[in-house]
Amino acid sequence: MSTPDAGWRRVWRSVRIPGAVLVALVVVAVLVSLGDEQFPQGHMEPGSVDPTGGRALVETMREDRDVQVVRSAADAEETLGEIGGDAVLAVFLDHRMEPGEVRALADLEVDTVLVQPTLQTLNEFAPGVDMSGRTESDETLDAACDLPAAEAAGPADVAGEVYEAAPGQAATECYAAAAGSAVVQVEHGDAATTVVGTDHFMTNTELPDEGNAALAMNLMAAEDVVWLRPEPHVPEDSATMAELLPQGLRWAAVPLAAALVLLALWRGRRLGALVPESLPVVVRASETTEGRAGLYHSRRARDRAADALRAGFLDRVSGKLGLRPDDPPETVVSALAARLGEDPARVGALLYPDHPDPYAGDDEALNRLAEELDERSRRLR
Amino acid sequence: MVVTGRSVVLALLAVGAVLVSGQISPQVTAAALSVVAALLALDVLLAASPRAMRLTREGDTSVRLGESAALSLVLHNPTRRPLRGRVRDAWPPSAHVEPRSAAPAHVVGGEQRRFGVTLTPTRRGDARAAGVTVRAIGPLGLAGRQRTLSAPWTVRVLPPFHSRRHLPGKLSRLRELEGQHTAMVRGQGSEFDSLRDYVRGDDVRSIDWRATARNDGVVVRTWRPERDRRILIVLDTGRTSAGRVGDTPRLDHSMDASLLLAALAGRAGDRVDFLAYDRRVRAQVRSGGKGSQIQQLVSAMAPLEAALVESDPAGMAGTVMAQGRARKLVVLLTDLNAAALEENLLPRLPTLTSQHLLLVASVRDPAVDAMAEERGSPEALYRAASAERTLADRRRVTVELRRMGAEVVDAGPEHIAPALADAYINLKAQGRL
C-alpha cells in the first residue's frame, strides 16, 4: 500500500467507474444531439419549420432566385443597394420598424411586397390605399383581376385584411371580398408596391393549398428577393434592475454581509475542541462459531454438521451412562441401547453410520437426525 | 475571539440605518461598520483575559466502573476585571460528565469560584481531562476572548468487581477451613495451628492427649490450611479476550474473577502476584508481603484493554517460569481456544506443571450453549452443529489439560468468579497449594 505504484492503482480503481459512467453519458448525449438540429422559431421566420414558419416558401424560391434574409431596415437598404437591379423587397412584421426606417425604405422605390402592413407603412409605401376591413380567414378568394401574378395563380387563401385604393387612384385590386380587396398593387414612383392582407397563405402549412404557392412566388418574382423580417428594437442605455433599486437598499448589503459573518461566528464558534476517544472493540465471543455455522450452511457441510451433533449428543449422555470418552463404539452402542431399550443395530446406525452417511443426504435427513438425537436425550434425562 | 448574539443584533441595526439613509448611503455604511467594529474591538479589549485564569482541581482520582466521581474545578480570577462568560470542562465522551453544557461563570476580579463536575464513566481505564475552555465576554456583551487552558486530571476507572457480593460467602467457607467458623467445625487444613480447650461438639479424634495430660482440661488440636502460599494470576489480554460474552468483554469477566480470587487469597494469608500478558507483559503486580493487595491489583487492571493480537502462550509460560522456582498456584484466565492452546501451551505444559500447580479458568459463552440448542430450520441446525463443534473443541482441550495435570474451571460469565473461588478453596482444603 505504501508504494507509489499501489497508490496510483488505488486512485485508478476508485476513479475508473465514475469515469466510465461520465464517458458513457457524454457519448449518449452526443449521439442523441446528432439528430436534433435546432431550427429558429417564429412567425414567417425564413428558417422556421413550424406551421407558421416560412421555410417552405424560402427554400422553394431559392431554386430559381436569390433570397437574402435581412433583420433590420438598415441591412435591407444596404442589401438592396448592393443588388441594384431586379429585386423585390418583402416586408414582414413591419411594426417592429421605426417610422424613420420605414420612410427610408419607401424612399428607395424598389418593388415591394408589404405583408399585413401597419397604416403608417401603408401611408409611406402606398399613399391612398387604406385598410377597409377584414374577411373570414378560412375563405378562399378568386383572383378576379388582371394582375398577371394573381391571374396565373388563381384562387388563394388570402383572406385577412382587405384594402381599398382611393377613388381615382391607379391601382390593381385583386381577390376582392365584401369590404375590399386582399391584394392591391399600386405604382410607387418607379416601382410597384403590392399590399397583401395576410401572410397566412405563405406559411409552411398553407403553401401547398390552392394557388397559394404560385401567388407567393409570383408576387416576389425577381432575380433577388430581400426578405425583411426586422428584429424588435432593443432599447439602448436602459437602467438595469440594480440601478433602479434605492441606493440605501444596495448599500445595506454590506452591513448585512457583516451581520451574516457575525452570525456564523456566533453560532459556529465551539467552546473548545471536540475530545477524541478511541472506540472500543465490539465483537461477540461467539463470532467464530457463527462464522463456521455460516460456512457449514453455505457449503451444505451436512456430514460435518451430523458429526458435530452426534459428538454433542454422546457428550451429554456418556456422563449419565457412566461411559468414558475413550470407550469404543461397541460399548457406547450397547450401553445406550440397553438403557433406551432399543435395538443396538438401530442405535449404531444412528450414531456410527456407514459411509455414505444416510443422515447427511439432505437437510431433511439432517433434521431427522437432530430430532432422533433430541428425543433420545429427553428419554435419558 | 468570540462574538455573541448581541453583535449580530448590532450589525442588523447597522443594516437598518443604511436602509433609511437615502442619498448618503456610502458614508452611513462606512460609519455604521466602523461603529460596529469599534464596539466589538472595545469589548474584546475590555474582557478579562482567559489566559490569566488560574485553575485548580480537586476530588476523586479513582472510581469504580458504574459509580460516579465528584470533582471540583476551582477557577481563580487574579485579574482586576470581572470574568463574565462560560467555562467548559471537557472530558472524553465515555466519561459522561455532568453538567453537560458549559457552566455560566461570573467571577469578580481577585476572587474564585468552584464548579462541581460529576463523572459517571462507562468505560474502564483512565479518563483524562481534555482541557478547560474559558470564554470571557466583554462588558458590552458583544464579543470577548476564549482560550482553552490545561488543567490535567486523571480519574482511573477501576473494574467494577461485581463478584464482591460472593466474598462473604466464600470467606465463611474459608473460615470453615481454618476452624474459626462459628459452628466450630474442625479445620480441614493440614497445617497445625494451635491447641485450645475442648468444647462439646469437637471431634474426639482431634483431642491432643499429650497436651491434655499436661493441662487441667481436655485440649484439642486445631488445624489450619497452609498459609503464605504464592498465587500467580495470569490474565490473557490477547485477541480472544476482546470477545464479548453478554455485553462485557471476556477480559472484564476474567478480571472480576481474578479480583474475587485475589481478595479471598489475601484474606487466607496467601500472596498474590498478577501478570497480564498477550505477546508481552502488559501489567504486573508483585506482592510486597502478606495481606491484600487488592487496591494495587485493581489499579493495575484498570487501564488494561484487550490487544488485537494472537496471544503467545509459550511466551506466557516462559514468563511464568522466569518468575521464580518456588512452587505456586498459577491461575491462567484465558479462552479455551483449541487452536491457540493446543499449538502453543500444551507443549510447554509439562515444564510448567512439574514446578507449579496450573489452574486454567475460562468464561464459557452462554450464546454458544444456546446456539447448540437451536432447531427448526436447516440454518438453525448448521448453527447448532457449529456450536457443538466449538463445545467439543473446548471439551477436548479441557480433557487434554486435565490429563496433563492442570485444573480447569469452565463456567458462564455469572459463575466464573465463584467457581474459581471454589476451585481455590478446594485446592486449599486438599492441601495441594
Side-chain angles (χ1 to χ4, degrees), chain A residues 64-261:
Chain A
D64 60 348
R65 59 200 100 165
D66 281 340
V67 180
Q68 309 213 27
V69 177
V70 290
R71 300 291 179 182
S72 70
D75 286 351
E77 273 178 61
E78 197 181 320
T79 312
L80 285 170
E82 280 169 15
I83 294 165
D86 183 19
V88 168
L89 172 68
V91 182
F92 299 88
L93 306 180
D94 58 302
H95 59 269
R96 288 180 176 177
M97 289 189 288
E98 289 187 5
E101 294 175 329
V102 175
R103 194 169 304 128
L105 279 181
D107 290 348
L108 289 178
E109 297 190 352
V110 290
D111 289 343
T112 308
V113 177
L114 297 176
V115 180
Q116 214 178 338
T118 60
L119 288 178
Q120 182 157 13
T121 314
L122 209 54
N123 267 335
E124 296 289 349
F125 278 90
V129 178
D130 206 1
M131 184 186 145
S132 56
R134 295 186 65 84
T135 57
E136 291 303 317
S137 57
D138 54 352
E139 254 177 278
T140 303
L141 300 176
D142 287 325
C145 68
D146 34 315
L147 187 66
E151 225 171 349
D157 298 319
V158 287
E161 288 175 3
V162 290
Y163 306 93
E164 239 172 24
Q169 190 178 10
T172 320
E173 298 184 352
C174 296
Y175 298 101
S181 302
V183 175
V184 177
Q185 193 171 60
V186 293
E187 293 293 319
H188 177 238
D190 295 338
T193 297
T194 316
V195 183
V196 183
T198 181
D199 54 23
H200 189 63
F201 69 100
M202 296 189 228
T203 58
N204 291 338
T205 339
E206 300 297 330
L207 201 64
D209 294 345
E210 305 290 343
N212 293 355
L215 178 61
M217 301 276 283
N218 293 343
L219 286 179
M220 291 179 239
E223 268 175 36
D224 288 278
V225 175
V226 177
W227 184 289
L228 172 61
R229 186 179 179 276
E231 293 293 322
H233 277 280
V234 179
E236 285 162 27
D237 67 353
S238 62
T240 61
M241 185 74 171
E243 285 165 351
L244 292 174
L245 287 175
Q247 200 183 13
L249 203 61
R250 270 184 287 142
W251 279 97
V254 178
L256 190 65
L260 287 177
V261 168

Side-chain angles (χ1 to χ4, degrees), chain A residues 252-295:
Chain A
V254 178
L256 190 65
L260 287 177
V261 168
L262 287 175
L263 182 72
L265 278 177
W266 172 43
R267 298 315 304 175
R269 184 84 154 98
R270 278 191 59 87
L271 202 57
L274 283 172
V275 185
E277 190 178 25
S278 55
L279 285 171
V281 179
V282 179
V283 54
R284 286 190 306 281
S286 55
E287 192 113 316
T288 45
T289 309
E290 281 164 13
R292 188 166 51 216
L295 274 180

